[in-house]
Each structure stands twice: as structure tokens, then as C-alpha cells.
Amino acid sequence: MKTPLLGEFGSPPARHMLGPIQHIDVPMKRYAETEEVDFCIVGIGSAGGVLLQRLARAGFQVVGFEAGPFWDTERDWVSDESGSHNLYWEDLRITGGSDPLALGANNSGKGVGGGSVHWAAFTPRLHPSDFRIHSEDGVGVDWPMTYEELKPYYEQLELEMPVSGPAYFPWGDPHGYAYGPHPLGGVGDVLVKGCTRLGIRVVAGGPVAILAGSHGDRQHCIYRGFCLQACKVGAKASTLITHVPDALRNGAEIRDNCMVSRVNMNKEGRTCGVSYFDRHGVEHVQKAKVVIVSGYAIETPRLLLNSACPGFENGLANSSDTVGRYLMAQAGNVILGRFDQLVRMYKAPPAHALTEEFYETDPKRGFARGFAIQTVGPLPIAFAKQMMVAKGAWGWGMRRVMMDYNHWAALGLLGEILPWPDNRVQLAAEKDRFGIPVAKVTFNLHDDDKVLANYGKNKVMEVMRAAGAEEVVQESRYAHLVGAARMGADPRTSVVDKYGRTHDIPNLFVCDGSVMPTQGSANPGLTIQALAARTADYLIAYSREIFTSKKRPMEPPPIRRHLAPPETWGKGVPRIANL
């Protein structure tokens, strides 16, 4: 055929695309460097995107800085594993400790939307017990807030993304989802079958922030398998497409490819803005009344430590020597099973079924806290890496395994590793291309963590065998990162209060996964965005005090649902709860 059925292919559209039909429909506001804006946000990822949207819609002057690009999904994204590495933060970082973390594609994003661009979009909530694990189990630390304080924001963000999920979710605080679940994929069928045969409760179809049906100007999921490589369809939620467009419509500015090098301080002990390098390596300064650091669990402590200055010689907000400490990852072992029948585990959202039957502490197991079991759906390159580790596959042996790819299923352990002070982010001697010291990350598993990971791995293997797998192998790995700038009521042992305001500096906030004191066995994305919406409400309610004084109002701010992106609140079906 010489001519395509619908005519000759044209050049890509000139406008900035955020999906096949979604695009930015207004010119971006530009603030002068000499202008003092109300809020400067460092990092436009899961938290930064929500903050940018809320504060702009409330009428404030807001500038967001992002070290990576402002993605145009039609020009920049490809449906290819190896072609998607520009989505990840793969700049130099130094890792060490007895059980070092692998940093990059699994836990860090670089570009507008941050890690939410390449997350699996699985969105379970934390349990009420997660907020009081020291009181209940004698480990870790209690949060300075309760589940009930965050619950309205969980409900809010589940509608803003929105989240597709089961009508009834039985664990933690039982609840339902306003948007219907996804159909069960082959790997989900494996988890359901294995759990059912062992008498373990399990849910399918979510909760996952991927559209099971079209929503606004976003298309529904077509089950193509490239969720972790950025969703060109626009079905998967990321703040790039759920919150950033509304932020720009309301006057926010995003400066992409701009690396913030330090938070600046004045003689009164208040922040006065940031210094940053633009895409050409030229240094600039942006003045701001309030700075919010939202760089996530590695870059946030790195920036605070790099911003040391007279009066803050150990780094900003670090009088407690807690900045960088209590970094947490989750035990993320992948258990793979081969089945005689075809599975095709890529034909569904990677995470779309789970059980949280083992989430809470059971003294009989010999360790505190617990774990979840979830579906995962590695594409061929990731699968090959896992089989190299799990089976020692190489050469012709690897080719034989890869020819069997569609017969394998993968389930993931997501286990709670406790916060320990020796798991930390520090500054390395090495520097990046801007001359900024890079992060040095030290990570060690403690006895409780090791026992939990081993028990959880064996339980998942048991589920896989119960589902009928004829061969079961596993790869040990970690998932997610949180902590390293944790919240708390005591300034001697924490960095920020329960609204993200640093104890030491009245107009410096931290809002991202680094503020989480514990991590539970839930994927952290929903919690991070819920905390951001809550912090935004606080900033809006008490902006006058924050701009001009050291007063610290602690009364809960009103929930401003009207500031959500339009057409997101009040949709879906009624919820089922507390049944």
C-alpha cells in the first residue's frame, strides 16, 4: 500500500502533548528572577505536582523547579524497555552498607511527574496501625498524626487520579472504590488461584490509578503492558497529566531541566529562595517567600545537607542530626513460577491484584509488622535480568528461558523494613556536572528485616506452588524509597512537623516520601500525594503567618475539595465502607 488508509502521515502536532488527545492548552506564565514569588517548589513529582496545582488554583504565585525535562508524551516517550531509561534518575550516586540499594529505574524519576511517570500506579492505603507501630508493636516510631487525619485526603486523591478498584477492600480501614476494577489478567489469576486454594483472602482489579474506562480527555487502558515505561495512552495517572495541566491554567510556572543547588537563607534565619543551574549550566537565583523541597528520599536530604551555611553548619533543618537518617526501602523479592498453560503476564496492569492478609504483626511469625503479596508483570528485559539472578541463566540457557516468557508468572513481596538511624543519605566526595556533591547512600538490613523477608519470600513461593507452578524461583530485591527527612512532634528526633514544616526554619517545608516516619507494606504513591494535598491546605490556610512570622498554628486546616482539578470530585459510584 503506497498511501495510508487515512492519508499521509504528517509531522507531530506543534502543541505540547500529554497523551494522544490531551495537551497543554494555555501559554505558561513566566516570572522574572527579580520577582519574589509566594512559593518555590523543588521537584515536580508525586508531591510537587499536587502542591503546584493546589497553590496555583488558590491564587498564589508558584514556580516549580524540575531537574529533568517537561515531557511531551508523543515526542519523548516510546513503548520500549531499553528506550525508556531517560525517565529514571540515573545520575551518579554512591551506594554502600552491608545490603546496598540499587538506585535508578526501580525507585527514582527525573522529569516533570517524577517517579509517578514510571510507577506501577498501585495505590493501596496505609493501615491505621501504620501510624502507631511503636505504641502497638514496640518498634519504629509513631507518626505525629493519625490515619483518620489523612483519610479524607486518601478519599480525595482516589477520585483525582482516579483509582480503579474493588467495591470492597477488606483490610486496614475497610473501604470501596468509586471506579470499577480492571478485568483479571493471567498473573492476577495465578495470585487468586493460589490464595484461594490456601484459604487466603485476595482482591483483584486494583486498587490501581489506571483508567478502566475513559475519563475526561484521557483514554482507557488498552492492556499493552508498558505501564512502567510511561503510559503513552494516557490511561495511567501521573501528576504530569492529572495535576500539572490545571496548575498551568491557573498561573503556575515550571522550569524544567533546572537543577537546584541550594536553598538560600537570610540573616533572620528564614529561607529567601533557591539557587539553581539552568539547562546550559548557568547559575541563577529565584526569590521566594516559602520554599518547599519535594525531591524525594535521596535528593531532598542531599539538597538540605548541601545547603549548609553559617548558623546551619550541619545542613538546613538538621539540628536533630536526623536529615538523611531513617531511610527506608521495602523488601521487594520477585517470585517467578512457570506454568504449563500460557500466562502472558504483560496483558494487564503489572500490579492489579493483592492480598494484605499478612500485613499486621503476628507474634507467632517471630518478627514485627508484615508484608503484602502483589502481582507484578516484568517485560522481557526485566524478566531476563530476574532469571539471570534467580536461575543463573546465561547464553543458550537464557534463550531457552526467554522462549518460555509467556508461560511464566511473577508475584511480588512487599515487606515493611523498619526505620534505622544507620540507613542514611550523606554527601559523597564525588560531585556532579554542576560541582554539587552527590548522595552517598548506606543501607543495612537488621535482624527483624531479614526474618520478615525470608518468611515473606517463602509464603509467596507457597502461593505460587498452590496455583500450580511446576517450577518456582526468586530474585531478592528492594522496592520504593521513603524516609530521610521524617516528620515528628519532637524537634530533637525529627525534621518536620505533621504538616511538613521544618522545625528549625519557619518558612521551609519538606513534602514528599522523605517525611514518612514508617512505610508499612503499601506502595507509597497514594500516601505521598495525600500528604501533599494536606500540606497544601495548611499552606493556604496559614499563608499569612508563614510568610511573615514564626507562629506555628497546629489547628487542622479546612479540606478544600473545590481546589481539586475540575471534574474529579464527586464522580464515580457511592462507596462501600465498614461492612
Side-chain angles (χ1 to χ4, degrees):
M1 183 185 298
K2 294 183 178 180
T3 304
L5 288 174
L6 300 178
E8 297 289 347
F9 293 111
S11 59
R15 53 194 174 183
H16 194 115
M17 303 300 292
L18 297 180
I21 61 175
Q22 187 178 10
H23 59 90
I24 294 176
D25 52 11
V26 295
M28 189 187 299
K29 170 82 174 180
R30 300 288 182 181
Y31 292 97
E33 285 193 18
T34 55
E35 189 174 358
E36 183 185 49
V37 298
D38 295 322
F39 294 98
C40 168
I41 303 172
V42 182
I44 306 302
S46 289
V50 173
L51 286 163
L52 189 81
Q53 182 271 328
R54 285 296 200 281
L55 296 172
R57 183 165 270 274
F60 293 100
Q61 297 174 313
V62 193
V63 175
F65 289 89
E66 173 54 48
F70 194 156
W71 302 114
D72 182 305
T73 64
E74 295 300 287
R75 292 181 173 85
D76 300 332
W77 292 356
V78 292
S79 297
D80 180 83
E81 281 184 272
S82 63
S84 297
H85 278 271
N86 59 340
L87 302 173
Y88 315 132
W89 192 298
E90 296 195 318
D91 297 9
L92 177 65
R93 288 163 168 170
I94 310 301
T95 62
S98 60
D99 304 279
L101 298 172
L103 302 173
N106 186 43
N107 45 39
S108 300
K110 191 173 187 180
V112 176
S116 72
V117 164
H118 64 84
W119 66 330
F122 214 42
T123 53
R125 303 177 187 178
L126 291 179
H127 287 200
S129 67
D130 285 315
F131 294 79
R132 50 178 189 266
I133 73 169
H134 183 73
S135 296
E136 291 198 0
D137 300 317
V139 296
V141 66
D142 290 347
W143 289 49
M145 56 184 290
T146 65
Y147 169 87
E148 287 70 27
E149 291 178 70
L150 197 57
K151 179 177 178 178
Y153 294 97
Y154 277 145
E155 295 174 341
Q156 177 104 6
L157 268 298
E158 285 165 356
L159 292 176
E160 291 181 27
M161 293 182 179
V163 172
S164 303
Y168 183 63
F169 190 87
W171 300 286
D173 173 30
H175 58 280
Y177 292 91
Y179 291 89
H182 286 268
L184 196 64
V187 66
D189 185 60
V190 166
L191 179 60
V192 170
K193 185 181 297 183
C195 286
T196 301
R197 287 176 176 172
L198 295 173
I200 299 169
R201 290 186 300 177
V202 62
V203 299
V208 60
I210 298 175
L211 300 179
S214 296
H215 182 84
D217 58 358
R218 292 169 55 197
Q219 311 281 37
H220 61 77
C221 182
I222 59 173
Y223 306 110
R224 54 199 284 280
F226 286 96
C227 305
L228 301 183
Q229 286 69 40
C231 177
K232 282 181 70 70
V233 176
K236 188 183 77 170
S238 70
T239 55
L240 174 70
I241 64 172
T242 58
H243 289 81
V244 164
D246 190 60
L248 300 184
R249 282 192 290 269
N250 286 279
E253 179 188 358
I254 294 176
R255 295 182 193 165
D256 64 324
N257 291 301
C258 288
M259 181 68 181
V260 174
S261 56
R262 65 185 300 111
V263 177
N264 298 323
M265 299 294 294
N266 62 23
K267 295 179 181 179
E268 288 72 44
R270 297 174 63 88
T271 177
C272 53
V274 299
S275 296
Y276 68 97
F277 291 93
D278 66 18
R279 69 184 66 217
H280 305 296
V282 178
E283 189 170 17
H284 304 266
V285 172
Q286 176 60 55
K287 298 177 182 179
K289 297 175 184 175
V290 173
V291 173
I292 310 169
V293 182
S294 298
Y296 202 33
I298 304 296
E299 294 305 310
T300 284
R302 177 193 176 197
L303 177 59
L304 294 175
L305 294 172
N306 267 315
S307 299
C309 60
F312 299 93
E313 286 78 8
N314 295 323
L316 300 187
N318 198 27
S319 63
S320 61
D321 189 31
T322 305
V323 170
R325 293 189 183 273
Y326 303 102
L327 179 71
M328 292 170 282
Q330 289 167 318
N333 302 54
V334 175
I335 286 76
L336 303 111
R338 190 196 182 280
F339 292 80
D340 183 58
Q341 69 273 22
L342 290 171
V343 176
R344 292 193 174 96
M345 58 182 163
Y346 62 91
K347 296 292 286 182
H352 72 279
L354 85 160
T355 177
E356 291 186 349
E357 282 293 277
F358 308 98
Y359 195 106
E360 306 288 354
T361 296
D362 181 350
K364 298 176 184 177
R365 298 197 293 246
F367 56 85
R369 305 307 294 158
F371 58 92
I373 305 173
Q374 305 175 353
T375 59
V376 292
L379 294 181
I381 293 176
F383 175 76
K385 179 185 74 72
Q386 290 163 353
M387 299 308 282
M388 182 176 66
V389 175
K391 287 174 63 73
W394 194 255
W396 176 245
M398 178 65 81
R399 293 181 66 184
R400 288 178 61 89
V401 169
M402 295 307 295
M403 286 188 283
D404 256 0
Y405 169 72
N406 281 327
H407 286 269
W408 286 84
L411 301 178
L413 167 71
L414 204 62
E416 180 173 359
I417 293 175
L418 297 172
W420 303 102
D422 58 331
N423 290 338
R424 65 186 304 192
V425 179
Q426 298 169 286
L427 299 181
E430 294 82 355
K431 297 183 179 181
D432 66 11
R433 66 188 182 95
F434 302 110
I436 309 169
V438 303
K440 174 186 174 183
V441 181
T442 304
F443 198 79
N444 310 288
L445 290 177
H446 292 242
D447 290 343
D448 194 88
D449 309 322
K450 295 175 183 178
V451 176
L452 180 149
N454 188 62
Y455 182 99
K457 171 199 71 177
N458 291 334
K459 181 58 67 174
V460 183
M461 296 178 83
E462 181 184 353
V463 170
M464 188 71 82
R465 293 190 184 96
E470 56 191 34
E471 180 184 1
V472 179
V473 297
Q474 74 95 33
E475 177 203 24
S476 297
R477 59 188 286 275
Y478 301 108
H480 310 120
L481 288 173
V482 297
R486 69 177 180 179
M487 65 167 68
D490 188 347
R492 296 171 298 179
T493 58
S494 59
V495 178
V496 302
D497 65 21
K498 65 180 183 179
Y499 296 110
R501 191 176 189 177
T502 60
H503 295 301
D504 297 350
I505 303 168
N507 63 335
L508 174 63
F509 283 71
V510 176
C511 186
D512 55 30
S514 69
V515 304
M516 294 173 63
T518 61
Q519 61 180 336
S521 298
N523 311 60
L526 173 66
T527 297
I528 291 169
Q529 293 192 33
L531 287 169
R534 183 171 177 271
T535 292
D537 279 349
Y538 180 84
L539 290 164
I540 294 166
Y542 299 114
S543 58
R544 182 174 299 179
E545 291 88 342
I546 296 167
F547 288 162
T548 61
S549 74
K550 295 183 179 181
K551 294 180 180 178
R552 291 182 174 270
M554 298 305 289
E555 286 297 313
I559 299 172
R560 291 172 166 79
R561 294 192 174 96
H562 66 284
L563 294 181
E567 301 301 316
T568 61
W569 181 255
K571 304 291 183 179
V573 299
R575 297 170 178 274
I576 299 173
N578 301 322
L579 295 183

